[in-house]
Amino acid sequence: MQEDINKNKAQKPLGSSQPKAETQYVELYKSTSATIKSHSADIMNKVRDKAFEDFKKLGFPTRKVERYKYTDMAKLFEPNYGLNINRLDIPVNPYDAFKCDVPNLSTSLYFVVNDSFYLKALPQAHLPEGVIVDSLSRVAAKKPDFIARYYSKIASTDEDAITALNTMLVQDGLLVYVPKNVKVDRAIQVINILRSDVDLMVNRRVLIILEEGAEAKFLFCDHSADDRNFLSTQVIEAYVGENANLELNCLEETHLKNTRVSNVYIQQQANSSVNHNVITLHNGVTRNRLDLVFEGEGAECHCNGCVIADKNQHVDNNTFIDHKVGHCTSNELYKYVLDDEATGAFAGRVLVRHGAQKTISQETNRNLCATKKARMYTQPMLEIYADDVKCAHGSTVGQLNDAAMFYMQQRGIGEKEAKLLLEFAFINEVIDKMELEPLRDRLHHLVEKRFRGELNKCEGSKRFKWLHLSYDD
């Protein structure tokens, strides 16, 4: 497998100087585009060449680009990762590896191995009539006209190089479709497994379509099954119809050798509701982007982030909420706890357009730096072109409260335990905003273990002990 996968990566020409990071991907696509297309669906292929041209034009964004000022993207993509362009079968049975230890929440459990939807065994849980959870490329081959209405429509390749790169290289993904007025009571849990014997790059795609009045809850978990260098790009497109309700929870629990770049695009229609939560418990380098646009009045969103980082970990969350129409509400709360020499960044922009009257928006970023070497960069932004609105934003960066530490130590609580209790209380405000009660309870437990240094990291296939929600065999 190692030899075959490594052959897929373009090599530096003999005698040449070191090319820009994007050069190897341009050469890769030129030499393998026919193979990439042969293992994917026509609908995905139709936008592939345009994405390639957009990527060539854009190149990887530098720190001079406002939305990428806190992460050196070119540096992340410079190493020579392998790609499984030939779609070799990766030897892993995720259902055997996955162990359940939270019996209170029943989910429909699915797996994505690297960047392919796992089809060999699917949950027996009955989904409501008309609901589809399947391989994106497989459904696109069967229903091309339907997928063409949504695929790569809100994830613009001419505006973002990472989205363009993902679109030109992705070969499969996950599709979730919930028809009009259908409520999916059982949460849909998707485990993204990184599995390889060599350093590997994967490109995942997710397409979520909730029609008018539909309702669904999701939990996406990222995990590494091997102690290798992984680079993953992910693009999620979510269409939330009128009066529809989406809860999207994304958890990363990988390891220090993992680089994750995720772009999430959400489009909301009138009177819809979105609750988006992103949790980073273990990682190497993480860059999350969220673009959310209100297309219909009366819609609301709640976007929350929770980051715990230490060592030399880096977490960058960048959000953009577009109040395109009036009478909509947005709430953002992102909290970071940074230890050792960890680096965090949050940049959030809220745009209230002309005519978007009666907008309500609150954007908050609060951060704790537990050491003098930890660094946090924060930039909440409001851009308002309407006069009848209620909008506020703010950020804080500080250390643990000395008075509170002293108070607890005076009552017999050790310094280490007092520090943990304060950090735990600080981060729990984000977790408590999640709607799934068993998920909240499990995350409280995982966060406490993380602060105590007891949480198992994904360092190999023998450590498949993750956020475990119950599922049907």
Side-chain angles (χ1 to χ4, degrees):
M1 182 176 72
Q2 179 173 356
E3 181 181 1
D4 290 337
I5 288 181
N6 278 348
K7 285 180 180 178
N8 290 328
K9 193 66 181 286
Q11 300 295 320
K12 172 185 170 183
L14 293 175
S16 68
S17 60
Q18 180 64 39
K20 292 182 178 180
E22 56 265 19
T23 301
Q24 59 182 326
Y25 295 95
V26 171
E27 296 302 318
L28 169 69
Y29 187 79
K30 287 180 178 178
S31 62
T32 63
S33 61
T35 304
I36 292 173
K37 292 175 181 178
S38 69
H39 292 287
S40 191
D42 289 342
I43 293 303
M44 301 175 74
N45 292 335
K46 282 185 177 180
V47 298
R48 201 178 297 279
D49 287 342
K50 179 183 181 301
F52 172 62
E53 295 299 326
D54 289 336
F55 176 75
K56 284 198 302 180
K57 179 178 65 177
L58 293 168
F60 287 113
T62 68
R63 290 178 180 267
K64 294 181 180 179
V65 177
E66 182 66 26
R67 296 199 69 175
Y68 286 93
K69 65 191 298 183
Y70 300 116
T71 303
D72 187 346
M73 300 305 296
K75 184 178 179 180
L76 300 183
F77 286 84
E78 280 179 356
N80 184 21
Y81 293 95
L83 286 96
N84 189 10
I85 290 175
N86 290 314
R87 317 314 291 164
L88 302 175
D89 187 32
I90 305 299
V92 61
N93 186 338
Y95 283 90
D96 286 344
F98 188 80
K99 304 299 180 185
C100 166
D101 66 358
V102 179
N104 297 324
L105 178 63
S106 181
T107 68
S108 296
L109 181 67
Y110 300 87
F111 288 90
V112 174
V113 178
N114 292 333
D115 46 20
S116 295
F117 185 74
Y118 190 77
L119 288 165
K120 293 182 179 179
L122 296 173
Q124 298 177 1
H126 176 69
L127 293 170
E129 184 177 357
V131 174
I132 300 173
V133 181
D134 205 341
S135 159
L136 176 58
S137 62
R138 189 165 78 158
V139 177
K142 295 178 180 178
K143 301 181 178 181
D145 293 340
F146 172 69
I147 298 300
R149 295 204 300 267
Y150 299 98
Y151 182 73
S152 197
K153 296 300 184 185
I154 55 176
S156 175
T157 62
D158 58 4
E159 186 271 333
D160 185 84
I162 306 304
T163 296
L165 179 67
N166 176 279
T167 304
M168 80 187 207
L169 294 178
V170 69
Q171 293 169 283
D172 191 18
L174 170 70
L175 168 72
V176 180
Y177 166 72
V178 184
K180 183 178 178 179
N181 294 327
V182 172
K183 179 180 179 180
V184 182
D185 294 323
R186 186 186 299 268
I188 296 171
Q189 184 176 7
V190 180
I191 307 295
N192 294 317
I193 299 176
L194 295 171
R195 165 75 182 95
S196 179
D197 295 334
V198 301
D199 294 349
L200 188 71
M201 176 184 181
V202 304
N203 300 283
R204 292 193 298 264
R205 197 74 176 218
V206 179
L207 178 58
I208 298 172
I209 304 166
L210 303 187
E211 290 194 340
E212 179 182 347
E215 183 176 331
K217 295 179 175 65
F218 296 86
L219 172 60
F220 288 88
C221 305
D222 281 18
H223 301 282
S224 302
D226 293 292
D227 188 20
R228 306 296 308 191
N229 293 308
F230 289 103
L231 168 63
S232 61
T233 73
Q234 174 178 268
V235 172
I236 297 178
E237 293 180 282
Y239 296 84
V240 187
E242 187 173 345
N243 294 304
N245 190 322
L246 168 68
E247 180 176 352
L248 179 60
N249 303 293
C250 300
L251 168 71
E252 182 180 7
E253 190 185 345
T254 55
H255 57 53
L256 288 171
K257 295 182 180 180
N258 190 74
T259 298
R260 177 181 187 267
V261 183
S262 175
N263 289 357
V264 177
Y265 299 86
I266 300 176
Q267 183 186 89
Q268 290 189 239
Q269 301 299 329
N271 302 307
S272 62
S273 176
V274 167
N275 191 334
H276 177 254
N277 305 294
V278 56
I279 307 102
T280 306
L281 291 185
H282 274 296
N283 75 309
V285 177
T286 297
R287 208 280 177 171
N288 296 317
R289 167 175 173 158
L290 168 65
D291 284 25
L292 185 148
V293 58
F294 293 112
E295 294 283 357
E297 293 188 351
E300 65 175 339
C301 73
H302 303 271
C303 304
N304 307 299
C306 163
V307 174
I308 302 172
D310 53 17
K311 301 181 178 65
N312 291 304
Q313 294 168 339
H314 175 89
V315 184
D316 178 357
N317 283 293
N318 188 289
T319 69
F320 172 52
I321 297 181
D322 186 353
H323 285 264
K324 194 174 179 180
V325 297
H327 298 272
C328 292
T329 300
S330 65
N331 288 290
E332 284 185 274
L333 175 62
Y334 279 74
K335 284 193 167 188
Y336 292 60
V337 175
L338 305 176
D339 209 337
D340 299 329
E341 298 181 19
T343 304
F346 171 80
R349 177 183 172 215
V350 176
L351 171 62
V352 182
R353 294 182 182 266
H354 289 286
Q357 306 294 355
K358 304 296 182 181
T359 289
I360 300 174
S361 178
Q362 176 66 49
E363 182 183 27
T364 305
N365 174 225
R366 298 192 181 109
N367 312 283
L368 281 179
C369 292
T371 67
K372 293 182 179 180
K373 292 185 177 181
R375 292 289 181 269
M376 182 67 202
Y377 303 91
T378 177
Q379 188 181 20
M381 296 170 281
L382 278 175
E383 191 173 344
I384 302 173
Y385 298 98
D387 55 12
D388 187 6
V389 301
K390 295 181 180 179
C391 298
H393 70 295
S395 66
T396 59
V397 180
Q399 296 181 326
L400 293 173
N401 189 297
D402 290 337
M405 287 283 291
F406 178 78
Y407 178 86
M408 287 191 287
Q409 287 179 272
Q410 286 293 96
R411 280 149 183 80
I413 300 175
E415 181 181 356
K416 183 177 180 180
E417 186 69 14
K419 175 177 177 287
L420 182 147
L421 291 173
L422 289 175
E423 291 176 337
F424 188 55
F426 177 80
I427 215 74
N428 275 348
E429 183 183 1
V430 175
I431 297 174
D432 287 339
K433 291 183 178 295
M434 299 178 185
E435 296 179 3
L436 291 170
E437 183 177 353
L439 174 59
R440 292 199 306 269
D441 294 342
R442 181 58 181 161
L443 282 174
H444 284 314
H445 176 65
L446 289 178
V447 166
E448 181 179 357
K449 293 187 71 175
R450 175 70 171 93
F451 282 133
R452 294 184 184 278
E454 300 171 358
L455 185 62
N456 286 337
K457 298 180 286 294
C458 299
E459 296 176 343
S461 58
K462 295 182 179 180
R463 293 184 174 89
F464 273 55
K465 296 182 179 179
W466 309 325
L467 178 68
H468 311 142
L469 308 181
S470 65
Y471 64 95
D472 290 319
D473 294 325

